[in-house]
């Protein structure tokens, strides 16, 4: 399999690139249409951070340290609500749980017998929706022993670009017209709703998504403190029930 | 301890490290640990993915229904309509993220300019 040539991305120097060459290949892979969309959502995130009264160094630091967008949005919400550090950590941890299965899905492609755990952990820091989708799509052109380095090139470039984007928005866009700020704030949910639908692995993912979107407003009325957790457990449980139901019926039919 | 509990320059960074970095990268590192041990189509991961997906969907819902900043000044119906139009055109026109974003934004901006 590793020798079958990929149809869409021609790599003329397959296997003959140096380690640094594969790192740079990862950097180049980061410069892409999904990266442009991601950068625009970070303009939206910066607008959100500004409207929440965050300072530029905190917003940029958050971008580098958390990286995944929902976690940052939840953290800003918790800071704004005056939550203590532990309850904020709890809320962020809940929204970041989804990163575990993404990393798990990526590991079999990156891990070789010689992989070191700390290097894999470093690479895993760059896992978020966009980097993950790009990696799943393009990683097969990279020789297995270079994939971790390649992914670090890809992920670090995406993080760096967006840390710069966040800082630039602070310096350039202090007084955006309301229509533009509102439009930027809508970018994040629009990007999430489309990319999340596209990245669902099974039908249960779509059920979970619809359930989560519809449940949140109801749950929020009853349990404002735990609205995200309760939405996740209820919506996810529903979707998993659907998954079991379909599987049992499928087995009965065959 | 809240974000501005201590009047020092470093406390907000420590707060972000604990509530942000630690709370996020723990899950990533757990993924590295489990990565060699779990098959990515195992049954427990279907449940984990479903809960995670519903959670992000809840975030989407909250960003549209209870947004902050200038977006909060717009009508709820306009925001929901814009997001729904964006999503519908994403589904209808070949699942292109750019199409969904463009249509959603167009509906929002048109609605804001007309009101």
């Amino acid at each position: 399999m590793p020798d079958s040539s990929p149809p869409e991305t021609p790599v003329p120097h397959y296997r003959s690139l140096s380690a640094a060459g594969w790192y740079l290949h990862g950097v180049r892979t980061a410069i892409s249409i999904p990266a442009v969309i991601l950068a625009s959502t970070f303009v939206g995130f910066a607008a959100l951070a500004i409207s929440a009264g965050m300072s530029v160094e905190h917003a940029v630091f958050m971008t580098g340290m958390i990286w995944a967008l929902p976690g940052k949005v939840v953290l800003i919400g918790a800071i704004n609500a005056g939550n203590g550090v532990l309850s904020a950590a709890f809320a962020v941890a809940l929204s970041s749980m989804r990163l575990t299965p993404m990393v798990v899905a990526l590991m079999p492609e990156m891990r070789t017998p010689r992989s070191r755990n700390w290097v894999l952990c470093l690479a895993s820091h760059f896992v978020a929706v966009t980097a993950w989708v790009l990696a799943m799509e393009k990683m097969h052109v990279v020789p297995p022993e270079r994939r971790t380095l390649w992914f670090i090139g890809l992920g670090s470039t995406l993080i760096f670009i967006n840390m710069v984007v966040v800082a630039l928005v602070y310096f350039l866009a202090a007084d955006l017209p309301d229509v533009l700020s509102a439009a930027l704030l809508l970018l994040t949910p629009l990007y999430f709703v489309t990319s999340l639908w596209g990245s669902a692995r099974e039908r249960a993912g779509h059920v979970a998504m619809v359930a989560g979107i519809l449940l949140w407003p109801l749950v929020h009325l009853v349990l404002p403190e735990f609205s995200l957790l309760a939405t996740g457990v209820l919506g996810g449980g529903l979707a998993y029930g659907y998954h079991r139901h379909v599987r049992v019926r499928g087995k009965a039919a065959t | 301890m809240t974000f501005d509990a201590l009047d020092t320059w470093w406390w907000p960074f420590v707060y972000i490290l604990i509530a942000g970095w630690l709370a996020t990268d723990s899950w990533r590192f757990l993924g590295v640990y489990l990565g060699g041990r779990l098959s990515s189509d195992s049954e427990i991961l279907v449940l984990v993915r479903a809960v995670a997906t519903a959670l992000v969907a809840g975030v989407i819902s909250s960003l549209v229904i209870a947004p902050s900043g200038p977006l909060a000044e717009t009508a709820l119906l306009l925001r929901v309509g814009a997001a729904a139009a964006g999503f519908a055109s994403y589904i209808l026109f070949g699942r292109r993220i750019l199409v969904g974003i463009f249509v959603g934004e167009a509906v929002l901006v048109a609605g804001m300019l007309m009101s």
Side-chain angles (χ1 to χ4, degrees), chain A residues 104-128:
Chain A
V104 170
L106 210 53
M107 278 303 120
E109 322 237 337
M110 283 183 9
R111 194 189 282 275
T112 67
R114 282 186 300 166
S115 295
R116 291 192 211 138
N117 273 326
W118 73 267
V119 180
L120 290 172
C121 282
L122 176 68
S124 78
H125 177 70
F126 302 115
V127 171

Side-chain angles (χ1 to χ4, degrees), chain A residues 48 85 111 124-125 183 213, chain B residues 1 25 27-28 32 61 68 105:
Chain A
L48 172 78
V85 65
R111 194 189 282 275
S124 78
H125 177 70
I213 286 176
Chain B
M1 299 250 294
D25 267 4
W27 293 111
R28 292 185 173 115
V32 172
S61 204
S68 63
E105 292 289 0

Side-chain angles (χ1 to χ4, degrees), chain A residues 183-207:
Chain A
L184 287 173
L185 288 166
L186 194 70
L187 268 177
T188 306
L190 281 173
Y191 175 63
F192 279 173
V193 82
T194 50
S195 64
L196 190 64
W197 187 269
S199 72
R201 291 279 294 279
E202 56 261 312
R203 199 100 192 109
H206 291 159
V207 176

Side-chain angles (χ1 to χ4, degrees), chain A residues 165-235:
Chain A
V165 164
V166 169
L168 278 178
V169 173
Y170 267 84
F171 291 122
L172 299 177
D175 50 351
L176 283 178
D178 275 2
V179 176
L180 188 53
S181 310
L184 287 173
L185 288 166
L186 194 70
L187 268 177
T188 306
L190 281 173
Y191 175 63
F192 279 173
V193 82
T194 50
S195 64
L196 190 64
W197 187 269
S199 72
R201 291 279 294 279
E202 56 261 312
R203 199 100 192 109
H206 291 159
V207 176
M209 223 184 108
V210 174
I213 286 176
L214 297 180
L215 277 172
W216 185 83
L218 303 174
V219 173
H220 186 65
L221 289 177
V222 188
L223 285 169
E225 297 285 307
F226 299 99
S227 55
L228 282 179
L229 167 66
T231 302
V233 171
L234 283 174

